[in-house]
Amino acid sequence: MAKREKPKAELPDKIPQHIAIIMDGNGRWAQARGLPRLAGHRAGTENLRRIIEACVEFGVKYLTIYAFSTENWGRPEDEVSGLMGIFDEVFERELAELHKQGARLQHIGRLDEVRPSLQEKVRNGMETTKNNDRLVLNVAFNYGGRDEIVQAIRAIMSEGTKPEDVDEEVVSQHLYTAGIPDPDLVIRTSGEQRISNFLIWQAAYAEWVFPQTFWPDFGRDELLAAIQEFGRRERRYGLVLEN
Ligand code: IPE
Ligand code: IPE
Ligand code: MG
């Protein structure tokens, strides 16, 4: 990894341990250039590499990225199949780089519903990187927050847990993100300001930022700006803080 001049000096004292990103705006990025939407998705996946590198540089421990939602299956068929083709390539092509960065790949969502060749690549990526500990990269792929909660309820009920024994901890432990701390900072690029079924349980007390930039153009310096903004926020968790 290329080392930059004193990145730490630009970082606030308080760094988000877990950053989650809704990588939005690929289609509009392409449209603005007169390109097909898939060209935007391709550029978006290429951008991922520099953001992962920047997270490692800044000492972020967990990065969760929203790659494909349970609702995205409803897009035109050629876009969906094009996206699956891109994911197929990316999981294979980026694995070596991810491994080199010391990142551990994890998946959140319904892997069983994606085509077997892709399932295989994701599983292989998780297996290859399982001992890495510099960064955990959670890929939310065929992920929906409501679906996740439904699956958790099913699992809790099928284990025969008594209603009075169900608490927030039990629910958290049955989500796809079990064992991963809640996100501190959620970034949604492209100027849209909504949750779109992303980490609806886990982001209950996250800080949110909404940069205008379309995802393919969202680079290291903008990530740094989001982290600096996070550093200026005061997290209250419903309490009154003493001065
Ligand atoms: C986000 O970009 C990527 C996916 C949802 C897969 P979009 O495709 O939503 O881009 P816009 O919002 O149409 O610009
Ligand atoms: C959310 O973006 C999903 C991903 C980024 C993968 P969308 O573009 O699908 O969300 P909406 O439709 O604008 O809410
Ligand atoms: Mg979008």
Side-chain angles (χ1 to χ4, degrees):
M1 189 186 81
K3 279 268 174 294
R4 285 169 183 263
E5 293 280 300
K6 26 173 216 130
K8 301 279 181 216
E10 303 163 273
L11 288 171
D13 295 338
K14 224 173 37 173
I15 297 285
Q17 174 182 214
H18 182 177
I19 296 181
I21 306 182
I22 302 179
M23 309 184 292
D24 201 11
N26 292 349
R28 281 163 286 161
W29 180 93
Q31 202 173 24
R33 285 162 179 75
L35 297 169
R37 291 179 58 85
L38 280 177
H41 294 313
R42 211 168 270 288
T45 55
E46 279 156 21
N47 186 41
L48 201 47
R49 189 187 272 219
R50 49 181 189 152
I51 292 302
I52 292 169
E53 200 176 293
C55 282
V56 171
E57 181 194 356
F58 299 150
V60 172
K61 283 289 164 204
Y62 298 85
L63 172 65
T64 300
I65 50 167
Y66 205 5
F68 192 85
S69 74
T70 47
E71 288 72 36
N72 288 149
W73 295 108
R75 292 190 178 197
E77 216 216 291
D78 58 340
E79 180 165 345
V80 172
S81 65
L83 268 167
M84 294 303 142
I86 291 172
F87 292 138
D88 243 326
E89 284 169 32
V90 168
F91 278 116
E92 200 166 289
R93 192 187 66 214
E94 295 299 318
L95 186 60
E97 177 65 22
L98 211 57
H99 200 32
K100 203 173 91 194
Q101 293 280 341
R104 177 171 152 211
L105 178 70
Q106 290 204 324
H107 170 264
I108 58 171
R110 295 283 288 273
L111 200 54
D112 56 314
E113 288 176 353
V114 307
R115 64 188 188 206
S117 62
L118 246 171
Q119 289 186 29
E120 182 55 34
K121 281 181 188 161
V122 176
R123 290 206 175 93
N124 173 49
M126 294 194 289
E127 180 61 27
T128 307
T129 61
K130 69 178 182 200
N131 295 320
N132 294 344
D133 60 4
R134 206 180 286 156
L135 172 75
V136 174
L137 175 68
N138 278 314
V139 180
F141 173 57
N142 192 22
Y143 171 87
R146 288 186 171 182
D147 166 69
E148 180 179 40
I149 291 170
V150 169
Q151 300 308 320
I153 293 169
R154 285 186 183 170
I156 293 166
M157 290 179 80
S158 69
E159 285 164 14
T161 311
K162 293 203 209 83
E164 60 270 29
D165 291 336
V166 177
D167 59 16
E168 294 186 9
E169 193 48 39
V170 168
V171 175
S172 293
Q173 282 166 3
H174 287 82
L175 298 175
Y176 299 130
T177 51
I180 296 165
D182 286 342
D184 305 293
L185 172 66
V186 185
I187 301 170
R188 183 171 189 152
T189 58
S190 87
E192 304 293 349
Q193 302 189 0
R194 55 180 169 273
I195 200 163
S196 300
N197 207 10
F198 187 49
L199 303 179
I200 54 178
W201 172 280
Q202 299 89 334
Y205 266 105
E207 295 295 327
W208 285 74
V209 298
F210 300 101
Q212 291 296 320
T213 316
F214 295 141
W215 170 250
D217 289 332
F218 185 83
R220 173 208 181 260
D221 292 348
E222 283 178 272
L223 179 68
L224 178 61
I227 293 174
Q228 287 166 336
E229 169 62 27
F230 174 82
R232 291 189 288 272
R233 300 269 179 97
E234 183 184 68
R235 301 179 83 182
R236 303 196 193 98
Y237 300 98
L239 308 179
V240 176
L241 299 183
E242 284 172 32
N243 288 314

